[in-house]
Amino acid sequence: TSGAAHQHLAKGFTIGMRFHSAPVIRLADAKPVELGHAVEADGRWRIFAFADRSDPAGPDSALFRLCEFLDISNKSPLRRYTPEGEDPDSVIDFRAVFQQGHRDLAVGRMHPLLLPPKGRFGLFDYEKMFCADAPGDIFDRRGIDRDKGCMVVVRPDQYVASILPLDAHDRLTALFDGFMPARDRPVD
């Protein structure tokens, strides 16, 4: 786990404690689900990005910039630690939770990282994006800063490893570089 310097961004996800679920709405089909139940105990790391108030599909939003970094930068933990030829989320599973309602967002406008082609046939994974389920949504229940948003990094045993600002790209890289085995990948 990392230090608690950014614990204030998500007071209800205590670093070193279990990732506590809350109701959300899956964006693709408007199905109510428990966020913690939407992921399997399958040995993967998770990065849950809780968006700030801005339009998550806008290129100026912190979430969109995070997606760009994770998708194209050689410093991205997703790119550095995913074996060649494997699904893009085979090691680190990235998911996003938006503050806007599911009727206010369009799946097709979101960053392609949130719709990864997977498997033998390259089918799109529509289960990466979720919306807050009012009243008493996950942002309120888990004390997530609505103005800044945050990333919650969850270990394979489903305990919170770190909480970081959405723009803490270098700190996210450093977190994974601290324990993941080195790969022969170039760094920017």
Side-chain angles (χ1 to χ4, degrees):
T1 60
S2 68
H6 301 290
Q7 182 67 68
H8 65 281
L9 294 174
K11 295 174 185 167
F13 289 123
T14 306
I15 296 171
M17 301 297 286
R18 192 139 178 94
F19 180 81
H20 292 290
S21 188
V24 291
I25 304 290
R26 192 167 49 213
L27 178 59
D29 60 2
K31 180 179 180 181
V33 296
E34 284 284 331
L35 185 60
H37 301 174
V39 297
E40 298 175 2
D42 56 9
R44 293 186 288 172
W45 283 80
R46 312 274 184 221
I47 301 172
F48 291 97
F50 292 89
D52 59 5
R53 293 183 192 274
S54 64
D55 176 8
D60 293 332
S61 78
L63 179 66
F64 192 91
R65 289 191 308 269
L66 174 61
C67 289
E68 279 290 290
F69 165 75
L70 291 171
D71 194 29
I72 64 173
S73 173
N74 286 332
K75 291 182 180 182
S76 163
L78 273 64
R79 294 199 52 196
R80 292 178 77 166
Y81 299 113
T82 301
E84 294 295 328
E86 294 292 323
D87 285 339
D89 63 356
S90 63
V91 176
I92 302 170
D93 182 15
F94 179 72
R95 296 178 185 238
V97 182
F98 312 121
Q99 294 185 45
Q100 295 85 351
H102 68 278
R103 289 183 180 93
D104 301 322
L105 299 172
V107 172
R109 289 190 57 233
M110 297 304 158
H111 193 281
L113 181 68
L114 295 169
L115 285 168
K118 294 171 46 177
R120 180 176 168 189
F121 299 109
L123 300 176
F124 292 110
D125 184 347
Y126 286 96
E127 298 184 11
K128 300 285 186 185
M129 297 174 278
F130 303 90
C131 297
D133 183 16
D137 66 28
I138 191 168
F139 285 84
D140 292 336
R141 287 181 182 206
R142 300 294 172 246
I144 300 166
D145 188 311
R146 287 184 178 275
D147 293 323
K148 296 178 183 175
C150 69
M151 289 183 270
V152 177
V153 181
V154 180
R155 301 182 326 208
D157 63 1
Q158 299 185 8
Y159 280 72
V160 177
S162 185
I163 296 173
L164 296 168
L166 290 172
D167 62 357
H169 305 166
D170 289 339
R171 282 180 264 175
L172 181 65
T173 297
L175 173 72
F176 282 98
D177 284 351
F179 62 87
M180 294 291 278
R183 295 187 41 89
D184 296 328
R185 297 235 174 140
V187 176
D188 289 338

